[in-house]
Amino acid sequence: MIERRQFKETSIFLVFQNLIEMELKEVEDYINEISCELRQKQKKLEKDYENANKKVEEDAEYDVNSFFEDDIHKYFKVFPIYTYNPLLLTLYGQFENWLKKLCDLDSRKGFSKVRVKDLAGNNYIEKSRRYLEIVAEINLDDTKLEWQKITQIQKLRNCIAHNDSNIIKDKSIPIEKQELYKNILNDNRLEFDKIKGDFYIKEPEFLFDTIGLIRKYLAAVIDKIKSRNVVAKNMSMPFDNANWGQEKTENLLKQIISALNQLDENEARTDEYKDSDLKGNLRGIFESMAFNVTKLYSFFTNGKWETIDQKYIIEEREKGLEKIKKLYDIK
């Protein structure tokens, strides 16, 4: 018989991950195309400038720079500013939207009524991080490095969007003491005015690296969140006990299998001790099962389990069960 469950449905998170990858690839293709065109114009301008210099190198009165300065300004500053800076805003907006959607998808599982929009935070990136750690209870320790880089990009994005691409937020503080000064100064993918504080993205590699960072972080989050299928808690054990519950129920299944094997072995035996051995072995298995069952019963009824609970079942049977129900305060 074919077991239909072996043909697993595609996780909605994997579908969403494929959608993210497709959209990131489209942005990469777009950046590649426009950056190639811009670089071609820059290289042509550099070559024309070099050739012009060679032609007039003996004529000191001819100023080549004044002839090319408008085009240099246009292709090496204006075009990158209007091309790459807005693209960072676009990437940030997409990243924020994707994180929010991931949290919304997780909330559909019904483990908590808290939604990402209910949490404190200045933006959905912060709220989503809080949701994943507090509500979804996902351990994101192994993404700390990526998160630090993301927060730096977030600060750059905020300067572009809210401070006219300038790092100076408090004019009473020297520019060298501004929060982003050292980071921007040491990043050769950015053009930075150390006097005025203005900056812009001059190299598309900055955007490609940002895309790679987004891709890596979201892949890590999706990998963790898609495997969160069961949460088991009670008031006495408020942390997730899903793995503990899996272990106990698996032990029960193994004990059932062991009991069935004992019955099969009994059928094959012909000696006079086979029935007495079977009874002894089955009793031992049932006693072990009673430990696991009473532990699970106490968990799901929020009762306080004691080792004697197993004896109540083994020795007192129905009366023992009633005693346990009273001890667990089951109405």
Side-chain angles (χ1 to χ4, degrees):
M1 182 179 69
I2 297 176
E3 174 55 78
R4 289 182 297 174
R5 287 176 297 177
Q6 66 181 304
F7 303 105
K8 296 180 180 178
E9 295 181 4
T10 303
S11 165
I12 185 64
F13 293 103
L14 293 180
V15 173
F16 189 56
Q17 185 174 15
N18 289 335
L19 177 63
I20 291 172
E21 180 58 35
M22 182 178 68
E23 293 185 13
L24 284 175
K25 186 66 172 61
E26 289 174 346
V27 177
E28 281 180 321
D29 291 343
Y30 176 70
I31 296 172
N32 262 320
E33 187 167 330
I34 60 173
S35 63
C36 283
E37 291 180 3
L38 182 56
R39 276 176 173 162
Q40 287 174 1
K41 292 182 182 295
Q42 289 173 340
K43 287 180 179 179
K44 183 179 184 303
L45 183 59
E46 288 173 342
K47 188 175 182 179
D48 291 345
Y49 184 86
E50 184 181 347
N51 291 336
N53 257 330
K54 289 179 180 178
K55 290 180 181 179
V56 299
E57 58 186 5
E58 296 179 359
D59 188 353
E61 294 183 2
Y62 188 80
D63 185 5
V64 174
N65 190 64
S66 63
F67 182 79
F68 284 96
E69 64 180 352
D70 286 344
D71 283 343
I72 291 173
H73 177 72
K74 179 169 68 175
Y75 291 121
F76 284 90
K77 183 175 182 180
V78 176
F79 278 24
I81 288 175
Y82 288 115
T83 301
Y84 299 144
N85 280 17
L87 278 171
L88 182 64
L89 303 185
T90 299
L91 283 171
Y92 177 90
Q94 286 180 305
F95 177 60
E96 189 174 44
N97 185 51
W98 288 329
L99 270 179
K100 179 180 179 296
K101 284 186 176 179
L102 275 175
C103 295
D104 287 341
L105 286 173
D106 180 75
S107 69
R108 292 182 190 177
K109 295 177 181 178
F111 293 146
S112 173
K113 292 183 179 180
V114 178
R115 302 283 299 276
V116 65
K117 65 180 182 179
D118 301 323
L119 299 174
N122 295 321
N123 50 67
Y124 272 114
I125 287 183
E126 291 181 9
K127 289 183 178 184
S128 298
R129 180 82 174 186
R130 190 180 297 272
Y131 175 93
L132 292 170
E133 290 183 324
I134 297 176
V135 181
E137 298 183 359
I138 291 174
N139 188 337
L140 296 173
D141 287 348
D142 57 352
T143 65
K144 282 184 178 179
L145 180 60
E146 287 77 20
W147 184 250
Q148 289 172 359
K149 293 179 180 179
I150 287 169
T151 55
Q152 287 300 310
I153 290 173
Q154 182 183 31
K155 291 172 184 177
L156 282 177
R157 175 264 175 196
N158 289 342
C159 285
I160 293 172
H162 306 302
N163 206 41
D164 198 22
S165 300
N166 190 289
I167 69 165
I168 300 175
K169 293 186 175 181
D170 187 345
K171 294 182 179 180
S172 65
I173 300 175
I175 190 170
E176 296 85 359
K177 301 294 183 181
Q178 298 290 331
E179 182 182 12
L180 294 175
Y181 179 82
K182 289 183 179 179
N183 286 339
I184 292 185
L185 185 65
N186 296 323
D187 196 330
N188 57 15
R189 301 167 300 175
L190 306 175
E191 187 67 33
F192 180 46
D193 187 328
K194 293 181 286 186
I195 306 299
K196 296 180 180 179
D198 296 326
F199 72 92
Y200 63 89
I201 301 168
K202 67 176 181 178
E203 299 293 342
E205 283 71 27
F206 184 89
L207 298 174
F208 290 133
D209 290 344
T210 299
I211 290 173
L213 181 64
I214 289 173
R215 179 182 282 122
K216 184 176 181 181
Y217 181 79
L218 289 177
V221 170
I222 290 172
D223 186 58
K224 294 173 184 292
I225 207 170
K226 69 181 174 63
S227 60
R228 180 179 177 262
N229 298 317
V230 175
V231 175
K233 300 179 181 180
N234 65 17
M235 293 178 66
S236 302
M237 303 169 72
F239 43 89
D240 189 2
N241 292 277
N243 290 336
W244 173 84
Q246 179 181 335
E247 177 191 341
K248 295 303 173 189
T249 49
E250 186 173 321
N251 286 340
L252 281 171
L253 291 172
K254 289 178 179 178
Q255 288 162 341
I256 291 171
I257 292 169
S258 177
L260 292 171
N261 288 337
Q262 290 290 330
L263 290 171
D264 290 342
E265 290 174 10
N266 178 263
E267 289 291 329
R269 287 175 61 176
T270 58
D271 61 279
E272 60 181 307
Y273 302 107
K274 69 169 192 170
D275 290 337
S276 59
D277 287 348
L278 176 63
K279 290 177 182 178
N281 291 335
L282 287 180
R283 178 173 289 276
I285 292 172
F286 287 140
E287 288 178 356
S288 296
M289 291 176 70
F291 270 110
N292 288 318
V293 171
T294 51
K295 284 181 180 178
L296 289 169
Y297 191 50
S298 69
F299 175 80
F300 286 108
T301 58
N302 199 40
K304 184 179 180 182
W305 183 84
E306 299 286 349
T307 54
I308 197 173
D309 296 351
Q310 179 258 8
K311 286 190 175 182
Y312 288 146
I313 297 298
I314 296 299
E315 296 177 1
E316 301 181 33
R317 315 294 167 82
E318 289 83 0
K319 289 182 179 179
L321 176 58
E322 291 303 317
K323 186 179 290 186
I324 287 175
K325 290 173 73 172
K326 288 181 180 179
L327 290 170
Y328 295 171
D329 196 25
I330 300 172
K331 306 300 183 184

